[in-house]
Amino acid sequence: MKKFLSLFALLAFLVLPASAQDVLNYVAKEAEKICNDTTLDIQQRKVAVFKYDECSYLKSKMAPKMMSDSVSIDEKNRLIKEANEQVYNMVQYLTVYEKRLKDCKKKNRELITATFKKATLDCPLFKDNDEDLVHAYSNRTDYPTPFSLDCDWSKALQLIRGIDWSKY
């Protein structure tokens, strides 16, 4: 039920006129709350850390364009919309990933994780050369989100949704 309410809130932010980066800021704020809530399960908190870091990464990559005086208001609005869509699709991606892991046979868990990880690696958004930063999660085994930070979440989600999961 909580996931449904969160999804509903995100959808509401996408369709209602609102201030800049509402989805991104909402997800970052909620993730930060979860990160700081020591009563929650450590895995849930680690997912929240990933979400917060991904939101921060997107902001850091888009901020220079947004702050430039040479960028038109239309371009700034397009960037804001893109950031919101990326964060929304990242949340959807993580939800689909959790569902696939839950629904799959135990022997296929590693294959599912590898498939989702590869999709994030194959769909960079910025083509960032800072490998340490970009792969801060994808090179770790102690986090439940082994994904690249430099990811076009819209493309990765589309790629994942195009897979026939019935064999997993």
Side-chain angles (χ1 to χ4, degrees), residues 104-158:
C104 78
K105 298 173 184 124
K106 250 199 189 338
K107 66 179 181 175
N108 291 334
R109 288 181 68 82
E110 286 183 26
L111 182 58
I112 299 269
T113 298
T115 303
F116 274 80
K117 176 181 174 178
K118 185 171 179 355
T120 67
L121 295 170
D122 290 349
C123 299
L125 182 61
F126 303 105
K127 297 176 180 52
D128 192 338
N129 291 325
D130 186 347
E131 297 286 321
D132 290 337
L133 176 62
V134 169
H135 300 297
Y137 290 90
S138 60
N139 287 338
R140 296 181 71 159
T141 58
D142 60 333
Y143 267 77
T145 50
F147 309 127
S148 173
L149 290 176
D150 182 13
C151 178
D152 183 332
W153 295 102
S154 303
K155 287 182 182 177
L157 184 60
Q158 184 178 18

